[in-house]
Amino acid sequence: GSNMSGKSTLLRTIGVNAVLAQTLNTCLAVRYEAPVFRVQSCIGRSDDLLAGKSYYIVEVEEVLRRVHASTADTPHLFLFDELFRGTNAIERVAAAEAVLREILSPGESRTPHIVLAASHDGELVDLLRDVFDSYHFSDSLGPQGLTFDYRLEPGPATTRNAITLLALHGAPSSLVNRALALASTLERQRESRSIDATRSDLAEG
């Protein structure tokens, strides 16, 4: 989903309700049925100035704690919000794919865990389609600006709003137009690479 569409709120809501269900035998839901989970999340991260650790190092340590926890037979509910957003796009996608795949299905086996991950990276959705189902929140632009219905829909996200939010908050038109043009170019390049890869796979097959 796009910015402000409800991804992080959904993750937090699921985590809180799982804890409530398992401790107070009640939750904000029509129905709750699940094994007893150990709930672990990586949602809010920041620099640790006292320890001299950057945002990224703090996140690496937190994520790896979850990876090590996933080797246990006890079912876990893992909640991840924008994995490795503190680093470059290529390594972010590669590292996030490896982490999410390792936690859910290391080697040829499957773990007893439930993993929920929010991401803006469409490439990550494509890479994990064999082990994860994808859902999204959508938005629309109307007379009142951006609006959100906060309804979970199947499939990957089809909208983006980062540049639109720049425009709505007063960014110069030259900045917005340049960003839109470059985004369109990058999207075409991405689609072209995807088509070329598909053709290569077909030729090898």
Side-chain angles (χ1 to χ4, degrees):
S2 52
N3 298 288
M4 303 192 308
S5 61
K7 302 184 302 299
S8 299
T9 300
L10 175 67
L11 293 180
R12 290 185 172 95
T13 301
I14 291 174
V16 168
N17 274 284
V19 172
L20 288 174
Q22 294 177 174
T23 55
L24 301 179
N25 199 33
T26 186
C27 63
L28 302 176
V30 174
R31 184 167 176 259
Y32 180 92
E33 182 177 348
V36 177
F37 288 119
R38 292 196 64 183
V39 180
Q40 297 201 31
S41 68
C42 282
I43 296 178
R45 284 89 72 192
S46 61
D47 296 341
D48 187 343
L49 298 181
L50 292 178
K53 296 178 180 179
S54 70
Y55 173 100
Y56 181 71
I57 292 300
V58 170
E59 182 173 23
V60 165
E61 293 177 347
E62 290 297 313
V63 169
L64 289 180
R65 287 191 188 97
R66 276 63 183 175
V67 171
H68 296 317
S70 72
T71 61
D73 293 331
T74 304
H76 283 64
L77 173 61
F78 292 106
L79 307 169
F80 295 103
D81 191 14
E82 297 295 338
L83 276 168
F84 303 122
R85 57 188 166 195
T87 192
N88 64 84
I90 291 175
E91 290 186 306
R92 179 178 67 244
V93 171
E97 191 275 346
V99 164
L100 293 173
R101 188 176 294 276
E102 180 70 19
I103 288 177
L104 199 58
S105 57
E108 299 298 322
S109 61
R110 293 297 296 267
T111 64
H113 314 307
I114 297 293
V115 182
L116 301 178
S119 177
H120 286 287
D121 294 312
E123 297 90 345
L124 189 59
V125 176
D126 293 338
L127 289 167
L128 291 168
R129 65 176 57 190
D130 60 319
V131 288
F132 279 84
D133 293 324
S134 60
Y135 296 86
H136 71 275
F137 291 110
S138 61
D139 58 58
S140 59
L141 183 62
Q144 303 301 319
L146 277 173
T147 58
F148 306 91
D149 60 14
Y150 303 113
R151 298 180 66 87
L152 198 62
E153 302 289 346
T158 57
T159 60
R160 295 179 301 207
N161 66 13
I163 299 174
T164 300
L165 287 171
L166 282 173
L168 291 176
H169 283 77
S173 58
S174 57
L175 183 158
V176 173
N177 291 336
R178 179 177 178 83
L180 288 172
L182 182 56
S184 179
T185 298
L186 293 173
E187 186 65 32
R188 287 196 301 271
Q189 291 175 352
R190 175 187 168 192
E191 291 174 353
S192 177
R193 288 194 299 269
S194 177
I195 292 172
D196 290 342
T198 300
R199 287 173 176 167
S200 177
D201 289 343
L202 290 173
E204 292 177 0

